[in-house]
PDB file of all heavy atoms in Angstrom:
ATOM      1  N   TYR A1618      -1.285 -13.054 -14.438  1.00  0.00           N
ATOM      2  CA  TYR A1618      -2.191 -12.108 -13.777  1.00  0.00           C
ATOM      3  C   TYR A1618      -2.238 -10.823 -14.585  1.00  0.00           C
ATOM      4  O   TYR A1618      -1.328 -10.534 -15.382  1.00  0.00           O
ATOM      5  CB  TYR A1618      -1.788 -11.811 -12.322  1.00  0.00           C
ATOM      6  CG  TYR A1618      -0.439 -11.159 -12.147  1.00  0.00           C
ATOM      7  CD1 TYR A1618      -0.228  -9.809 -12.468  1.00  0.00           C
ATOM      8  CD2 TYR A1618       0.630 -11.886 -11.656  1.00  0.00           C
ATOM      9  CE1 TYR A1618       1.005  -9.230 -12.316  1.00  0.00           C
ATOM     10  CE2 TYR A1618       1.886 -11.306 -11.501  1.00  0.00           C
ATOM     11  CZ  TYR A1618       2.059  -9.978 -11.837  1.00  0.00           C
ATOM     12  OH  TYR A1618       3.290  -9.409 -11.698  1.00  0.00           O
ATOM     13  N   VAL A1619      -3.323 -10.080 -14.383  1.00  0.00           N
ATOM     14  CA  VAL A1619      -3.455  -8.762 -15.011  1.00  0.00           C
ATOM     15  C   VAL A1619      -3.980  -7.797 -13.950  1.00  0.00           C
ATOM     16  O   VAL A1619      -4.970  -8.095 -13.285  1.00  0.00           O
ATOM     17  CB  VAL A1619      -4.450  -8.791 -16.199  1.00  0.00           C
ATOM     18  CG1 VAL A1619      -4.578  -7.402 -16.830  1.00  0.00           C
ATOM     19  CG2 VAL A1619      -4.017  -9.807 -17.249  1.00  0.00           C
ATOM     20  N   VAL A1620      -3.305  -6.670 -13.785  1.00  0.00           N
ATOM     21  CA  VAL A1620      -3.754  -5.626 -12.860  1.00  0.00           C
ATOM     22  C   VAL A1620      -4.509  -4.577 -13.676  1.00  0.00           C
ATOM     23  O   VAL A1620      -3.998  -4.090 -14.685  1.00  0.00           O
ATOM     24  CB  VAL A1620      -2.550  -4.948 -12.163  1.00  0.00           C
ATOM     25  CG1 VAL A1620      -3.032  -3.839 -11.226  1.00  0.00           C
ATOM     26  CG2 VAL A1620      -1.715  -5.971 -11.398  1.00  0.00           C
ATOM     27  N   GLU A1621      -5.726  -4.253 -13.220  1.00  0.00           N
ATOM     28  CA  GLU A1621      -6.530  -3.236 -13.917  1.00  0.00           C
ATOM     29  C   GLU A1621      -7.069  -2.218 -12.921  1.00  0.00           C
ATOM     30  O   GLU A1621      -7.547  -2.626 -11.863  1.00  0.00           O
ATOM     31  CB  GLU A1621      -7.695  -3.881 -14.648  1.00  0.00           C
ATOM     32  CG  GLU A1621      -7.269  -4.744 -15.816  1.00  0.00           C
ATOM     33  CD  GLU A1621      -8.460  -5.461 -16.435  1.00  0.00           C
ATOM     34  OE1 GLU A1621      -8.985  -6.372 -15.771  1.00  0.00           O
ATOM     35  OE2 GLU A1621      -8.862  -5.101 -17.542  1.00  0.00           O
ATOM     36  N   PRO A1622      -7.052  -0.964 -13.284  1.00  0.00           N
ATOM     37  CA  PRO A1622      -6.349  -0.384 -14.431  1.00  0.00           C
ATOM     38  C   PRO A1622      -4.839  -0.449 -14.188  1.00  0.00           C
ATOM     39  O   PRO A1622      -4.410  -0.985 -13.159  1.00  0.00           O
ATOM     40  CB  PRO A1622      -6.851   1.062 -14.447  1.00  0.00           C
ATOM     41  CG  PRO A1622      -7.178   1.357 -13.012  1.00  0.00           C
ATOM     42  CD  PRO A1622      -7.656   0.063 -12.415  1.00  0.00           C
ATOM     43  N   MET A1623      -4.065   0.102 -15.107  1.00  0.00           N
ATOM     44  CA  MET A1623      -2.604   0.097 -14.918  1.00  0.00           C
ATOM     45  C   MET A1623      -2.108   1.432 -14.369  1.00  0.00           C
ATOM     46  O   MET A1623      -0.909   1.694 -14.350  1.00  0.00           O
ATOM     47  CB  MET A1623      -1.916  -0.238 -16.249  1.00  0.00           C
ATOM     48  CG  MET A1623      -2.074  -1.718 -16.603  1.00  0.00           C
ATOM     49  SD  MET A1623      -1.561  -2.145 -18.295  1.00  0.00           S
ATOM     50  CE  MET A1623       0.110  -1.544 -18.344  1.00  0.00           C
ATOM     51  N   VAL A1624      -3.071   2.258 -13.940  1.00  0.00           N
ATOM     52  CA  VAL A1624      -2.727   3.587 -13.411  1.00  0.00           C
ATOM     53  C   VAL A1624      -3.449   3.791 -12.090  1.00  0.00           C
ATOM     54  O   VAL A1624      -4.656   3.541 -12.004  1.00  0.00           O
ATOM     55  CB  VAL A1624      -3.179   4.686 -14.398  1.00  0.00           C
ATOM     56  CG1 VAL A1624      -2.837   6.070 -13.860  1.00  0.00           C
ATOM     57  CG2 VAL A1624      -2.552   4.480 -15.773  1.00  0.00           C
ATOM     58  N   PHE A1625      -2.718   4.228 -11.071  1.00  0.00           N
ATOM     59  CA  PHE A1625      -3.320   4.561  -9.780  1.00  0.00           C
ATOM     60  C   PHE A1625      -2.772   5.910  -9.361  1.00  0.00           C
ATOM     61  O   PHE A1625      -1.610   6.016  -8.956  1.00  0.00           O
ATOM     62  CB  PHE A1625      -2.996   3.481  -8.739  1.00  0.00           C
ATOM     63  CG  PHE A1625      -3.571   2.151  -9.143  1.00  0.00           C
ATOM     64  CD1 PHE A1625      -2.799   1.243  -9.865  1.00  0.00           C
ATOM     65  CD2 PHE A1625      -4.889   1.850  -8.891  1.00  0.00           C
ATOM     66  CE1 PHE A1625      -3.341   0.048 -10.295  1.00  0.00           C
ATOM     67  CE2 PHE A1625      -5.446   0.653  -9.316  1.00  0.00           C
ATOM     68  CZ  PHE A1625      -4.667  -0.250 -10.020  1.00  0.00           C
ATOM     69  N   GLY A1626      -3.589   6.941  -9.502  1.00  0.00           N
ATOM     70  CA  GLY A1626      -3.110   8.297  -9.204  1.00  0.00           C
ATOM     71  C   GLY A1626      -1.931   8.612 -10.112  1.00  0.00           C
ATOM     72  O   GLY A1626      -2.038   8.551 -11.336  1.00  0.00           O
ATOM     73  N   ARG A1627      -0.766   8.888  -9.511  1.00  0.00           N
ATOM     74  CA  ARG A1627       0.422   9.240 -10.304  1.00  0.00           C
ATOM     75  C   ARG A1627       1.341   8.029 -10.544  1.00  0.00           C
ATOM     76  O   ARG A1627       2.468   8.203 -11.017  1.00  0.00           O
ATOM     77  CB  ARG A1627       1.195  10.353  -9.599  1.00  0.00           C
ATOM     78  CG  ARG A1627       0.461  11.691  -9.590  1.00  0.00           C
ATOM     79  CD  ARG A1627       0.325  12.227 -11.013  1.00  0.00           C
ATOM     80  NE  ARG A1627      -0.357  13.511 -11.081  1.00  0.00           N
ATOM     81  CZ  ARG A1627       0.250  14.678 -11.278  1.00  0.00           C
ATOM     82  NH1 ARG A1627       1.556  14.718 -11.400  1.00  0.00           N
ATOM     83  NH2 ARG A1627      -0.443  15.786 -11.352  1.00  0.00           N
ATOM     84  N   LEU A1628       0.886   6.839 -10.171  1.00  0.00           N
ATOM     85  CA  LEU A1628       1.675   5.620 -10.443  1.00  0.00           C
ATOM     86  C   LEU A1628       1.205   4.982 -11.748  1.00  0.00           C
ATOM     87  O   LEU A1628       0.028   4.626 -11.883  1.00  0.00           O
ATOM     88  CB  LEU A1628       1.502   4.613  -9.291  1.00  0.00           C
ATOM     89  CG  LEU A1628       2.068   3.207  -9.535  1.00  0.00           C
ATOM     90  CD1 LEU A1628       3.599   3.236  -9.672  1.00  0.00           C
ATOM     91  CD2 LEU A1628       1.665   2.261  -8.400  1.00  0.00           C
ATOM     92  N   PHE A1629       2.138   4.842 -12.690  1.00  0.00           N
ATOM     93  CA  PHE A1629       1.848   4.190 -13.969  1.00  0.00           C
ATOM     94  C   PHE A1629       2.636   2.882 -14.013  1.00  0.00           C
ATOM     95  O   PHE A1629       3.869   2.899 -13.978  1.00  0.00           O
ATOM     96  CB  PHE A1629       2.250   5.105 -15.142  1.00  0.00           C
ATOM     97  CG  PHE A1629       1.327   6.271 -15.293  1.00  0.00           C
ATOM     98  CD1 PHE A1629       1.369   7.333 -14.399  1.00  0.00           C
ATOM     99  CD2 PHE A1629       0.378   6.296 -16.304  1.00  0.00           C
ATOM    100  CE1 PHE A1629       0.480   8.406 -14.512  1.00  0.00           C
ATOM    101  CE2 PHE A1629      -0.502   7.358 -16.435  1.00  0.00           C
ATOM    102  CZ  PHE A1629      -0.456   8.418 -15.530  1.00  0.00           C
ATOM    103  N   LEU A1630       1.907   1.759 -14.061  1.00  0.00           N
ATOM    104  CA  LEU A1630       2.577   0.454 -14.085  1.00  0.00           C
ATOM    105  C   LEU A1630       2.964   0.101 -15.514  1.00  0.00           C
ATOM    106  O   LEU A1630       2.238   0.425 -16.455  1.00  0.00           O
ATOM    107  CB  LEU A1630       1.646  -0.636 -13.568  1.00  0.00           C
ATOM    108  CG  LEU A1630       1.130  -0.492 -12.136  1.00  0.00           C
ATOM    109  CD1 LEU A1630       0.091  -1.579 -11.855  1.00  0.00           C
ATOM    110  CD2 LEU A1630       2.275  -0.567 -11.137  1.00  0.00           C
ATOM    111  N   ALA A1631       4.078  -0.609 -15.657  1.00  0.00           N
ATOM    112  CA  ALA A1631       4.472  -1.103 -16.992  1.00  0.00           C
ATOM    113  C   ALA A1631       5.163  -2.451 -16.841  1.00  0.00           C
ATOM    114  O   ALA A1631       5.865  -2.698 -15.857  1.00  0.00           O
ATOM    115  CB  ALA A1631       5.402  -0.101 -17.681  1.00  0.00           C
ATOM    116  N   GLY A1632       4.968  -3.333 -17.817  1.00  0.00           N
ATOM    117  CA  GLY A1632       5.643  -4.630 -17.826  1.00  0.00           C
ATOM    118  C   GLY A1632       5.069  -5.588 -16.798  1.00  0.00           C
ATOM    119  O   GLY A1632       3.882  -5.535 -16.449  1.00  0.00           O
ATOM    120  N   ASP A1633       5.959  -6.470 -16.304  1.00  0.00           N
ATOM    121  CA  ASP A1633       5.505  -7.526 -15.388  1.00  0.00           C
ATOM    122  C   ASP A1633       4.887  -6.973 -14.103  1.00  0.00           C
ATOM    123  O   ASP A1633       4.171  -7.690 -13.413  1.00  0.00           O
ATOM    124  CB  ASP A1633       6.685  -8.436 -15.004  1.00  0.00           C
ATOM    125  CG  ASP A1633       7.039  -9.452 -16.093  1.00  0.00           C
ATOM    126  OD1 ASP A1633       6.475  -9.350 -17.203  1.00  0.00           O
ATOM    127  OD2 ASP A1633       7.879 -10.331 -15.832  1.00  0.00           O
ATOM    128  N   ALA A1634       5.149  -5.733 -13.765  1.00  0.00           N
ATOM    129  CA  ALA A1634       4.503  -5.141 -12.583  1.00  0.00           C
ATOM    130  C   ALA A1634       2.989  -5.070 -12.799  1.00  0.00           C
ATOM    131  O   ALA A1634       2.216  -5.113 -11.846  1.00  0.00           O
ATOM    132  CB  ALA A1634       5.061  -3.743 -12.315  1.00  0.00           C
ATOM    133  N   ALA A1635       2.575  -4.965 -14.067  1.00  0.00           N
ATOM    134  CA  ALA A1635       1.148  -4.824 -14.372  1.00  0.00           C
ATOM    135  C   ALA A1635       0.506  -6.127 -14.819  1.00  0.00           C
ATOM    136  O   ALA A1635      -0.702  -6.316 -14.652  1.00  0.00           O
ATOM    137  CB  ALA A1635       0.959  -3.780 -15.470  1.00  0.00           C
ATOM    138  N   HIS A1636       1.306  -6.994 -15.424  1.00  0.00           N
ATOM    139  CA  HIS A1636       0.717  -8.223 -15.971  1.00  0.00           C
ATOM    140  C   HIS A1636       1.806  -9.264 -16.130  1.00  0.00           C
ATOM    141  O   HIS A1636       2.912  -8.965 -16.592  1.00  0.00           O
ATOM    142  CB  HIS A1636       0.070  -7.961 -17.338  1.00  0.00           C
ATOM    143  CG  HIS A1636       0.840  -6.995 -18.171  1.00  0.00           C
ATOM    144  ND1 HIS A1636       2.015  -7.338 -18.793  1.00  0.00           N
ATOM    145  CD2 HIS A1636       0.642  -5.685 -18.441  1.00  0.00           C
ATOM    146  CE1 HIS A1636       2.492  -6.287 -19.429  1.00  0.00           C
ATOM    147  NE2 HIS A1636       1.688  -5.259 -19.227  1.00  0.00           N
ATOM    148  N   LEU A1637       1.490 -10.454 -15.728  1.00  0.00           N
ATOM    149  CA  LEU A1637       2.444 -11.549 -15.910  1.00  0.00           C
ATOM    150  C   LEU A1637       1.840 -12.514 -16.911  1.00  0.00           C
ATOM    151  O   LEU A1637       0.642 -12.806 -16.842  1.00  0.00           O
ATOM    152  CB  LEU A1637       2.651 -12.268 -14.578  1.00  0.00           C
ATOM    153  CG  LEU A1637       3.872 -13.174 -14.527  1.00  0.00           C
ATOM    154  CD1 LEU A1637       5.135 -12.324 -14.466  1.00  0.00           C
ATOM    155  CD2 LEU A1637       3.817 -14.070 -13.306  1.00  0.00           C
ATOM    156  N   VAL A1638       2.652 -12.952 -17.850  1.00  0.00           N
ATOM    157  CA  VAL A1638       2.166 -13.974 -18.771  1.00  0.00           C
ATOM    158  C   VAL A1638       3.243 -15.054 -18.798  1.00  0.00           C
ATOM    159  O   VAL A1638       4.417 -14.779 -19.042  1.00  0.00           O
ATOM    160  CB  VAL A1638       1.786 -13.360 -20.143  1.00  0.00           C
ATOM    161  CG1 VAL A1638       2.874 -12.535 -20.737  1.00  0.00           C
ATOM    162  CG2 VAL A1638       1.310 -14.404 -21.116  1.00  0.00           C
ATOM    163  N   ALA A1639       2.841 -16.273 -18.433  1.00  0.00           N
ATOM    164  CA  ALA A1639       3.795 -17.387 -18.381  1.00  0.00           C
ATOM    165  C   ALA A1639       4.511 -17.485 -19.724  1.00  0.00           C
ATOM    166  O   ALA A1639       3.923 -17.142 -20.755  1.00  0.00           O
ATOM    167  CB  ALA A1639       3.038 -18.676 -18.076  1.00  0.00           C
ATOM    168  N   PRO A1640       5.773 -17.973 -19.739  1.00  0.00           N
ATOM    169  CA  PRO A1640       6.543 -17.904 -20.998  1.00  0.00           C
ATOM    170  C   PRO A1640       6.065 -18.849 -22.107  1.00  0.00           C
ATOM    171  O   PRO A1640       6.799 -19.104 -23.056  1.00  0.00           O
ATOM    172  CB  PRO A1640       7.974 -18.240 -20.554  1.00  0.00           C
ATOM    173  CG  PRO A1640       7.874 -18.864 -19.225  1.00  0.00           C
ATOM    174  CD  PRO A1640       6.587 -18.407 -18.603  1.00  0.00           C
ATOM    175  N   ILE A1641       4.827 -19.309 -22.036  1.00  0.00           N
ATOM    176  CA  ILE A1641       4.256 -20.237 -23.013  1.00  0.00           C
ATOM    177  C   ILE A1641       4.367 -19.711 -24.443  1.00  0.00           C
ATOM    178  O   ILE A1641       4.746 -20.433 -25.358  1.00  0.00           O
ATOM    179  CB  ILE A1641       2.776 -20.495 -22.635  1.00  0.00           C
ATOM    180  CG1 ILE A1641       2.739 -21.342 -21.364  1.00  0.00           C
ATOM    181  CG2 ILE A1641       1.982 -21.128 -23.771  1.00  0.00           C
ATOM    182  CD1 ILE A1641       1.382 -21.492 -20.745  1.00  0.00           C
ATOM    183  N   ALA A1642       4.030 -18.452 -24.654  1.00  0.00           N
ATOM    184  CA  ALA A1642       4.032 -17.912 -26.017  1.00  0.00           C
ATOM    185  C   ALA A1642       5.117 -16.853 -26.202  1.00  0.00           C
ATOM    186  O   ALA A1642       5.095 -16.123 -27.192  1.00  0.00           O
ATOM    187  CB  ALA A1642       2.666 -17.327 -26.352  1.00  0.00           C
ATOM    188  N   ALA A1643       6.051 -16.754 -25.251  1.00  0.00           N
ATOM    189  CA  ALA A1643       7.164 -15.787 -25.337  1.00  0.00           C
ATOM    190  C   ALA A1643       6.656 -14.361 -25.531  1.00  0.00           C
ATOM    191  O   ALA A1643       7.103 -13.648 -26.429  1.00  0.00           O
ATOM    192  CB  ALA A1643       8.128 -16.188 -26.453  1.00  0.00           C
TER     193      ALA A1643
END
Side-chain angles (χ1 to χ4, degrees):
Y1618 62 74
V1619 180
V1620 179
E1621 292 175 290
M1623 287 169 55
V1624 180
F1625 298 93
R1627 291 295 181 104
L1628 170 65
F1629 288 74
L1630 300 173
D1633 282 8
H1636 38 74
L1637 195 73
V1638 52
I1641 289 171

